[in-house]
Amino acid sequence: MNIFSKAFWLQLSSPKTFYPVAGKMIPWFMGTAIVSILVGLYYGFVVAPEDYQQGDSYRIMFIHVPAAWMAMWIYIIMCAYAAIGLIWRTRLSNMMAGALAPTGALFTFLALWTGALWGKPTWGAYWVWDARLTSFLILLFLYFGFISLRAAIDDPQRASRASALLALVGVINVPIIYFSVKWWNTLHQGASITLDKAPTMATTMFTAMMIMTVAFFAYTFAVAFMRVRNEILENEKNSAWVGEMLGREK
Amino acid sequence: MNLAEILDMGKYAFYVWGSYGVVALFMLIEVVLLITKKRSLVKSITRLARLNRE
């Protein structure tokens, strides 16, 4: 198995080969997610102290920030898959883009939800039309647009191409979200974690947040692989290999 | 520190547990839906295959 050869990637990108490979990876990703959620919760609720200004309400951060990061990361990864599918017409990358979208929409919603519940005790409002919140709401609509466009077009190739274009145009929103707190005066605070500076929060809080991020990342790949396997099964239900595989499992 | 003390979020209980509860619920629902879908797919494919053989 030479992972640098073109043949290896060509073979892996066939749904038939990918189906069992993804199946073997799902328990590892799900296991990593469960273990790190437990460790992250331990750090977030037992190790990390109460915040001297926000009391316990800041503990929402341990899921709010990872969910928001994932919402943006999934969008970028989804776009990368969609772009590969657009350029090389690889079926599996289009399927992966489609499989990531619902989870991306879910994390976008959860970031907005937890943000609202954190905003109320901290800012006094569940929602404000601030640049960060508004651009994040647009991200949710981009996910919805991507999902519905794929569902609305019957021909899978045309559906993939149209939705890939939509996703790629919408990717401009990701840097807008990220820099919104710098470019505009926002109620939402600026980034506490940046590449060029040390995090501006206690180490225990930072650790809890990072572990939860690992958990959400692993969860994302576990459910995306589950969804892509379902899609492969549905598309290839009449093919010989699916019949053989299910015959063996029985 | 006992569990009750850890879980006591004081006046923020609604906001903290409202956040964690919904996140946990939705993530669980997503997994359950995917597993249910997989089962129904496998069922319908094997049934179809059996009908074709008969």
Side-chain angles (χ1 to χ4, degrees), chain A residues 3-83:
Chain A
I3 60 160
F4 295 109
S5 75
K6 200 178 164 191
F8 171 81
W9 291 102
L10 267 181
Q11 206 190 14
L12 190 65
S13 70
S14 107
K16 182 187 166 182
T17 323
F18 189 70
Y19 186 90
V21 173
K24 283 205 189 82
M25 278 148 78
I26 289 167
W28 291 99
F29 279 119
M30 211 40 119
T32 307
I34 293 168
V35 170
S36 34
I37 282 174
L38 293 175
V39 177
L41 287 178
Y42 175 77
Y43 263 88
F45 282 87
V46 181
V47 181
E50 204 172 280
D51 187 76
Y52 81 103
Q53 273 182 323
Q54 298 189 26
D56 277 319
S57 71
Y58 93 94
R59 292 187 204 273
I60 295 172
M61 174 179 78
F62 303 133
I63 42 174
H64 172 72
V65 176
W69 277 344
M70 285 321 297
M72 294 193 283
W73 268 117
I74 292 174
Y75 196 89
I76 293 170
I77 300 168
M78 182 183 94
C79 274
Y81 274 121

Side-chain angles (χ1 to χ4, degrees), chain A residues 59 103 113 117 219 227 230, chain B residues 15 18 20 27 30 34 41:
Chain A
R59 292 187 204 273
T103 308
W113 175 268
L117 284 175
Y219 168 88
R227 195 172 288 115
N230 283 352
Chain B
Y15 305 106
Y20 278 84
M27 285 165 85
E30 189 180 23
L34 286 166
L41 272 171

Side-chain angles (χ1 to χ4, degrees), chain A residues 182 191-200 206:
Chain A
K182 279 192 182 167
S192 301
I193 317 268
T194 47
L195 288 176
D196 52 344
K197 282 191 285 288
T200 55
F206 176 75

Side-chain angles (χ1 to χ4, degrees), chain A residues 19 30 37 41 45-46 53-57 59-63 102-103 106-107 109-110 113-114 117-118 120-121 126 212 216 219 223 226-227 229-231 233-234 237-238 242 246 249-250, chain B residues 1 5-24 26-39 41-46 48-50 52-53:
Chain A
Y19 186 90
M30 211 40 119
I37 282 174
L41 287 178
F45 282 87
V46 181
Q53 273 182 323
Q54 298 189 26
D56 277 319
S57 71
R59 292 187 204 273
I60 295 172
M61 174 179 78
F62 303 133
I63 42 174
T103 308
L106 175 68
F107 277 126
F109 167 74
L110 291 176
W113 175 268
T114 53
L117 284 175
W118 193 6
K120 185 65 182 168
Y126 285 110
M212 289 305 270
F216 283 9
Y219 168 88
V223 288
M226 286 167 85
R227 195 172 288 115
R229 267 163 59 97
N230 283 352
E231 206 180 320
L233 265 191
E234 192 145 32
K237 56 185 166 204
N238 298 320
V242 168
L246 293 181
E249 277 179 14
K250 277 267 143 176
Chain B
M1 202 157 60
E5 277 167 20
I6 294 165
L7 298 182
D8 178 24
M9 293 291 123
K11 60 178 174 170
Y12 298 116
F14 168 74
Y15 305 106
V16 173
W17 300 126
S19 297
Y20 278 84
V22 169
V23 169
F26 276 48
M27 285 165 85
L28 269 178
I29 288 177
E30 189 180 23
V31 173
V32 169
L33 283 179
L34 286 166
I35 292 173
T36 324
K37 170 89 180 168
K38 165 92 191 280
R39 287 206 180 133
L41 272 171
V42 169
K43 220 170 163 180
S44 74
I45 295 170
T46 42
L48 218 75
R50 215 172 30 242
N52 284 340
R53 270 200 301 274

Side-chain angles (χ1 to χ4, degrees), chain A residues 210-221:
Chain A
M210 283 319 195
I211 296 171
M212 289 305 270
T213 306
V214 170
F216 283 9
F217 230 107
Y219 168 88
T220 298
F221 275 92

